Amino acid sequence: MDPGSEKAAMEFIEKFYEGESTGHDYWHSIRVYNMAMAICDTEPEADRDIVGMAALLHDLDDRKLGGDEENLPVASGFLKTHGATQSETKRIIEIIHQISFKGEDSVVPACIEGKIVQDADRLDAIGAIGIARTFAYGGAHKRPIWNPNNRPKDKMSAEEYYGSRSDSIAHFYEKLLKLRSMMNTDEGKRVAQRRHDCMLIYLDEFMDEWNGKR
Ligand code: NI
């Protein structure tokens, strides 16, 4: 890759995400980049250039933003115009394909660089920032914060009770609380534990307040 392509990528994504308010935005990409770099410090064998570029470009073709996740035209276009070799492009594109959360079909990236970017991306989905992003995303997609009437009333597990596709609180049970146990790196696991606990405290408080506790 050309010298300075990381800086160019930052400028590119800043323009690309202008006006975006669903939580997939410039600052998400920058946080993922910073976290990925911090995890790299604990995984010395990782190639920082590959990690950095994959982190910066990872959401440009996201389907949640109407992108083409199969061909990744925006990310590949950027790499092409910034001197990435064929092998660099292949590695970065492969990482972007592998890191996204697909429920049961989620994959663990084969290379350490992919494992790091996946951890960094998932860490940004949980904790205090994750809570903010969940409601921002829900609002952008016209989801209610929480609707207890959507739940079956008989015997059920917490997951059945809170989970359902229709509101933002459900998203914690369907996805966010599962991410802690899906971390790849030791540093990812360490940070995820703290952020996981933050969400549990938040959900407890939310339900208490909802139920009128004073
Ligand atoms: Ni992301």
Side-chain angles (χ1 to χ4, degrees):
M1 284 174 280
D2 296 336
S5 6
E6 221 167 67
K7 192 165 170 282
M10 288 180 190
E11 287 164 7
F12 180 81
I13 58 176
E14 186 166 18
K15 270 215 178 70
F16 184 87
Y17 288 120
E18 228 170 307
E20 184 56 49
S21 61
T22 61
H24 286 80
D25 58 13
Y26 169 67
W27 292 110
H28 164 63
S29 306
I30 293 296
R31 288 190 304 268
V32 171
Y33 170 82
N34 288 335
M35 181 62 76
M37 288 295 119
I39 299 176
C40 273
D41 293 342
T42 68
E43 302 285 341
E45 75 279 29
D47 181 334
R48 299 179 76 94
D49 291 341
I50 297 289
V51 170
M53 196 51 77
L56 288 171
L57 304 181
H58 83 277
D59 264 343
L60 286 171
D61 297 284
D62 196 282
R63 68 175 175 280
K64 291 193 234 35
L65 302 177
D68 174 357
E69 278 187 7
E70 210 50 60
N71 301 303
L72 307 178
V74 185
S76 348
F78 179 89
L79 291 168
K80 205 171 192 173
T81 50
H82 290 81
T85 63
Q86 256 187 3
S87 126
E88 287 169 334
T89 303
K90 189 167 168 269
R91 289 169 74 193
I92 293 167
I93 293 298
E94 211 162 81
I95 291 172
I96 297 176
H97 273 142
Q98 291 173 345
I99 61 169
S100 69
F101 179 86
K102 302 183 186 82
E104 300 290 308
D105 297 324
S106 298
V107 297
V108 178
C111 60
I112 183 63
E113 289 80 10
K115 291 186 168 90
I116 291 171
V117 181
Q118 188 175 62
D119 278 5
D121 191 30
R122 289 176 171 174
L123 285 170
D124 204 58
I126 61 177
I129 300 252
I131 293 169
R133 291 180 69 213
T134 299
F135 292 111
Y137 182 84
H141 291 82
K142 309 217 182 317
R143 289 184 184 184
I145 292 173
W146 155 247
N147 182 357
N149 293 335
N150 287 343
R151 273 80 194 167
K153 293 276 185 278
D154 293 339
K155 259 195 196 162
M156 58 201 135
S157 65
E159 197 172 331
E160 283 166 335
Y161 186 73
Y162 297 124
S164 124
R165 299 230 146 256
S166 49
D167 57 57
S168 289
I169 290 291
H171 187 63
F172 287 90
Y173 294 89
E174 288 168 351
K175 175 179 171 186
L176 305 185
L177 292 172
K178 295 179 179 164
L179 294 179
R180 176 189 54 167
S181 61
M182 296 172 79
M183 290 291 145
N184 306 306
T185 63
D186 287 344
E187 182 62 1
K189 286 175 192 159
R190 191 184 70 77
V191 182
Q193 183 61 55
R194 183 191 167 100
R195 297 188 179 191
H196 185 86
D197 292 345
C198 164
M199 292 192 295
L200 290 181
I201 292 167
Y202 174 78
L203 289 165
D204 263 0
E205 289 287 331
F206 182 97
M207 290 306 163
D208 278 355
E209 291 181 18
W210 189 279
N211 294 318
K213 187 173 174 188
R214 288 176 291 149

